[in-house]
Amino acid sequence: MLEGVLGVTVTGAGGSTVRIAPADAGLDHAVGTQWTERGQVGVDWTRTPHWVNTMVDVPVNVTATIALSVVPGSDYHLAGADVWYLGVQDGRALSRVGSGRSTSMAHQQH
């Protein structure tokens, strides 16, 4: 159930990589942690019709790909250590983050 609500999926051997993809519909907010072989992945995401904001805490020696629903006409803002915007694929804006706390936000321009 946590995987569906928080959107966390372990994608690499021994928990070396994870994907965080909040659901496109349903809940507007979720917060929690999911255990992996390398420690807890913390996720706090909020979605409205005009923006999506995701804050994650990634364990040491883990890389996460954050996949946010595309918000039409939006800018993407990333903050944290070792954060890279990867572009849009399959209707999701992708970013890669390293260990520690990072924030990814898609905000519709006015």
Side-chain angles (χ1 to χ4, degrees):
M1 179 154 174
L2 280 177
E3 183 177 314
V5 173
L6 295 178
V8 178
T9 305
V10 174
T11 56
S16 60
T17 60
V18 297
R19 178 180 171 94
I20 302 168
D24 291 334
L27 295 176
D28 294 331
H29 180 252
V31 61
T33 57
Q34 183 166 336
W35 283 94
T36 71
E37 292 178 51
R38 296 187 185 206
Q40 293 182 36
V41 175
V43 179
D44 182 348
W45 63 261
T46 303
R47 180 186 53 250
T48 74
H50 305 288
W51 54 271
V52 178
N53 186 45
T54 304
M55 184 174 7
V56 300
D57 286 304
V58 178
V60 174
N61 293 324
V62 175
T63 302
T65 299
I66 300 173
L68 300 180
S69 300
V70 170
V71 176
S74 63
D75 285 334
Y76 296 94
H77 304 278
L78 307 170
D82 198 21
V83 178
W84 298 93
Y85 178 69
L86 303 175
V88 175
Q89 180 181 17
D90 298 327
R92 291 198 172 251
L94 304 178
S95 57
R96 181 171 296 130
V97 302
S99 302
R101 179 169 284 179
S102 300
T103 303
S104 296
M105 182 175 189
H107 187 269
Q108 194 173 48
Q109 300 174 12
H110 295 284

